[in-house]
Amino acid sequence: MSRDSCGRICCRGLYSCYWKHPSERKRKCSCCWFGLVTVVSLLSLCWMYVCLTTFNDREDVNWKAFSILRRWVNWFLVLIILSALLTVYFLLLLAFALFQLALKEPLDLHCLHKAFLFVGVVFMALGATGISILWKVEWHTVLLSLQATAPFLQMGGVGALTLVSWVVFRGFHRARRTVSKIFVMAVFLGVSVAIFLSPLLIQSPCLMEPKQRLPPKPNLIGHRGAPMLAPENTLMSFQRSTECGVIAFETDVQLSKDGIPFLMHDHNSHFLIRTTDVLQKFPGKDFSHSTNLTWDELKRLNAGDWFLTNDPFGSVSQLSEQEKETAGNQTIPSLLQLLNLSRTHNISVIFDLKNHLEINDTLNTAKTILKSEIPQDLILWLPSRHREDVRKIAPQFKQVYDRVSEMDRDGGDHLNLKYSELRAAEIRSLRNRNVSVNLWVVNERWLFSLAWCSGASSVTTNACPLLKDMTSPDWTMETRTYMIIWITVDLGSLLIMFSLFIFQWEREAKKGSFRLESERTVPLLVRS
């Protein structure tokens, strides 16, 4: 059996599931199904890109699922795996279809593949709808990611366009109807113009002018410590974050029933369930709010076993046996314990106060800080409620704002915002005003690179072990250099596609001449 025959059989079998002979059924809709396979494959690539760019905020998805199901599962990882499997499947299906075209095999998509195409479209539609309804802020992250990837996606798009151009030109030359020829070429030209000229719309802080200097590397703030290396909001976690050179500990403060400030992120109906063994220690007890338990009761809870069991960041395997044992014995720390650690290492503390509605809770927390004798300038006070009352009793606290307008009103110079809420130009403008800009929560290299190029002062991160080792952004480039690369790549692609078009044209012309010659020769042979 020849190699060509093997290729035909494999492609036909995998695409249409007819291994021995082509199906004898009519294939009037084969071109439509091929078009659908192409469109779904491109959509799956786009969906996979969305999943990868939102990976920075994967804990938000897991947290949302936990708040509904009361069970911690890495649902985002499940989403990534399913999306990757579907994307690979659709791309392989498209590859087999292209091979069939190259081998001049009829396209006859099997009904099983059609069913999976439908399932894939529904899956992606539900995912996009879910983001739009429940997580719409992530679309800003997707747009922001283009500042890091668009220059390279454009080059990849030009390469892909060049590779498929031979199929388009072949279909153009073989089309018998003028309308079909015009449609094929109009669509191809429209896509080509969009891809070739897209750099005119690409903006990135990492595309710099010749005289523009790269800003200093942003400092790191440990988000609940170092939650990839130890259970979040435990003394072990904050201790491990000091190894990353963080300038501040970020945490969440709540008050117990007897008024002791302690560290815990989850609150309301989710209080203590995710990160402690409260269900086993106090079965049947109401613990929907921090004030349902005294500090003595809170100290009895284990706050580390969940980390070893759930492995929220997939990092437990990197810990030594001794580190695992230490992590499994962690308890809930008080705010005072963290302040003592902060004072020892001369590291600032920034926190969100969950019990901020009552002024007594706010003042109680502020007084606890003052009693610890930690230097007041190490406290980055973030809660906005009762800020003026806190300022009166602790005038040296550094006031941190989550709104530019509020900061400007009070004459502040510390800003703490989600990474997607500010543009690079706005960050640079604030830095020129000597405003310290912190962005949260930044866990991925590409996002940290954009924050670096934009001039952010610091970032709050879960991934301090990853970011501390970065000595430069993933990429920087002068705008002029990028324009030269862009124009060169586009011209090279145009030259190749023009050559392929001429080659296909001459080839079809020769076939047409041979066909006419054959038609003339046959009547002569019949007469003779």
Side-chain angles (χ1 to χ4, degrees):
M1 186 179 291
S2 65
R3 292 182 179 178
D4 182 62
S5 298
C6 289
R8 289 176 185 272
I9 292 173
C10 288
C11 289
R12 183 171 64 242
L14 292 169
Y15 186 78
S16 61
C17 294
Y18 295 103
W19 293 92
K20 293 183 178 180
H21 302 287
S23 171
E24 298 300 327
R25 296 178 301 168
K26 294 181 180 180
R27 302 179 183 89
K28 295 181 180 180
C29 298
S30 60
C31 292
C32 295
W33 284 110
F34 173 74
L36 182 61
V37 169
T38 303
V39 171
V40 173
S41 298
L42 294 175
L43 287 177
S44 67
L45 282 174
C46 294
W47 173 247
M48 195 67 210
Y49 177 83
V50 170
C51 291
L52 292 176
T53 54
T54 56
F55 190 73
N56 181 83
D57 300 327
R58 59 192 180 274
E59 290 307 300
D60 293 345
V61 174
N62 295 334
W63 166 253
K64 186 66 176 179
F66 169 77
S67 65
I68 298 173
L69 303 175
R70 295 293 192 276
R71 182 177 179 83
W72 186 263
V73 176
N74 197 339
W75 292 109
F76 195 88
L77 182 61
V78 175
L79 176 66
I80 286 284
I81 293 174
L82 290 177
S83 300
L85 289 174
L86 285 175
T87 301
V88 171
Y89 170 73
F90 293 142
L91 291 177
L92 286 175
L93 201 61
L94 179 60
F96 291 134
L98 292 174
F99 278 125
Q100 293 228 111
L101 282 176
L103 297 171
K104 299 180 181 179
E105 281 284 315
L107 295 174
D108 188 12
L109 188 64
H110 193 268
C111 58
L112 186 63
H113 294 317
K114 295 176 183 178
F116 276 115
L117 283 174
F118 175 76
V119 170
V121 170
V122 171
F123 177 79
M124 290 183 286
L126 290 176
T129 303
I131 292 177
S132 300
I133 296 176
L134 303 174
W135 208 24
K136 62 179 64 177
V137 69
E138 284 306 302
W139 290 124
H140 296 291
T141 301
V142 175
L143 293 176
L144 185 64
S145 70
L146 294 177
Q147 297 183 15
T149 60
F152 309 100
L153 290 177
Q154 191 268 342
M155 294 178 193
V158 171
L161 193 68
T162 306
L163 290 175
V164 302
S165 62
W166 69 273
V167 177
V168 177
F169 296 153
R170 181 178 171 180
F172 172 80
H173 289 300
R174 292 188 177 183
R176 296 181 179 181
R177 297 181 180 179
T178 304
V179 175
S180 300
K181 288 179 177 286
I182 294 175
F183 176 76
V184 169
M185 194 52 66
V187 172
F188 182 74
L189 288 176
V191 173
S192 299
V193 170
I195 293 177
F196 285 146
L197 299 183
S198 59
L200 293 174
L201 302 176
I202 293 176
Q203 295 180 345
S204 173
C206 293
L207 288 173
M208 301 182 174
E209 299 301 326
K211 295 182 179 180
Q212 186 178 350
R213 292 183 178 181
L214 180 68
K217 179 180 178 179
N219 293 312
L220 302 181
I221 294 178
H223 185 235
R224 306 175 200 169
M228 289 187 175
L229 302 176
E232 66 178 58
N233 275 332
T234 62
L235 289 181
M236 180 185 179
S237 183
F238 292 109
Q239 186 66 54
R240 293 300 302 271
S241 71
T242 62
E243 302 169 10
C244 299
V246 298
I247 64 164
F249 299 136
E250 189 279 341
T251 187
D252 307 276
V253 175
Q254 302 187 49
L255 271 71
S256 65
K257 187 175 183 178
D258 45 351
I260 303 299
F262 65 97
L263 310 185
M264 176 61 58
H265 171 266
D266 299 3
H267 58 288
N268 295 336
S269 59
H270 323 301
F271 177 59
L272 298 175
I273 298 176
R274 178 174 65 92
T275 58
T276 73
D277 59 349
V278 69
L279 292 174
Q280 291 75 34
K281 289 286 177 61
F282 301 105
K285 188 177 178 65
D286 180 17
F287 39 78
S288 60
H289 194 270
S290 64
T291 55
N292 294 138
L293 297 175
T294 65
W295 174 236
D296 286 336
E297 290 173 320
L298 290 167
K299 286 192 298 183
R300 292 168 51 190
L301 300 178
N302 182 293
D305 277 343
W306 75 275
F307 175 77
L308 301 177
T309 303
N310 296 333
D311 195 9
F313 294 95
S315 56
V316 171
S317 60
Q318 302 173 17
L319 304 182
S320 66
E321 291 302 319
Q322 183 178 358
E323 289 171 336
K324 291 179 183 178
E325 182 179 355
T326 303
N329 292 322
Q330 291 300 297
T331 57
I332 298 175
S334 66
L335 175 60
L336 184 59
Q337 289 174 296
L338 179 64
L339 295 173
N340 292 334
L341 182 66
S342 172
R343 183 176 56 184
T344 300
H345 294 278
N346 196 35
I347 293 177
S348 297
V349 176
I350 180 172
F351 61 90
D352 192 14
L353 184 59
K354 301 299 183 181
N355 309 82
H356 62 275
L357 297 178
E358 298 292 336
I359 188 170
N360 290 334
D361 294 340
T362 301
L363 295 180
N364 193 353
T365 302
K367 290 176 181 178
T368 299
I369 296 173
L370 294 175
K371 289 179 182 178
S372 71
E373 298 183 354
I374 187 175
Q376 289 190 31
D377 59 357
L378 289 182
I379 301 301
L380 303 175
W381 186 270
L382 182 59
S384 57
R385 285 183 178 268
H386 315 300
R387 190 186 295 276
E388 289 303 320
D389 297 292
V390 172
R391 201 194 301 269
K392 292 177 182 177
I393 65 173
Q396 295 181 26
F397 284 1
K398 292 181 179 178
Q399 298 295 322
V400 182
Y401 298 84
D402 55 9
R403 295 180 183 178
V404 176
S405 58
E406 184 181 353
M407 180 190 69
D408 290 340
R409 182 197 64 196
D410 293 350
D413 57 2
H414 283 75
L415 193 64
N416 181 65
L417 290 176
K418 186 175 175 63
Y419 62 81
S420 57
E421 293 186 23
L422 284 179
R423 297 181 179 180
E426 293 173 319
I427 295 175
R428 292 187 184 123
S429 176
L430 290 167
R431 287 301 302 274
N432 291 335
R433 293 166 45 191
N434 294 321
V435 173
S436 177
V437 180
N438 179 67
L439 304 178
W440 57 269
V441 173
V442 176
N443 301 319
E444 299 298 310
R445 289 181 60 100
W446 69 267
L447 191 52
F448 185 71
S449 297
L450 289 182
W452 191 337
C453 294
S454 300
S457 308
S458 58
V459 299
T460 302
T461 180
N462 293 318
C464 67
L466 171 67
L467 304 185
K468 74 179 179 64
D469 293 329
M470 290 183 62
T471 57
S472 63
D474 282 342
W475 65 272
T476 56
M477 192 184 306
E478 287 189 6
T479 306
R480 181 174 54 188
T481 303
Y482 175 62
M483 290 184 63
I484 293 173
I485 295 175
W486 159 42
I487 295 172
T488 302
V489 170
D490 283 6
L491 290 178
S493 175
L494 286 172
L495 180 61
I496 294 173
M497 287 194 292
F498 181 76
S499 301
L500 290 174
F501 183 84
I502 298 299
F503 174 77
Q504 289 276 10
W505 182 40
E506 292 179 349
R507 186 179 180 182
E508 294 298 323
K510 288 180 180 180
K511 286 183 178 180
S513 300
F514 179 76
R515 193 179 300 110
L516 289 175
E517 190 66 27
S518 299
E519 292 174 353
R520 292 174 182 174
T521 304
V522 170
L524 292 175
L525 291 174
V526 173
R527 290 176 186 176
S528 62

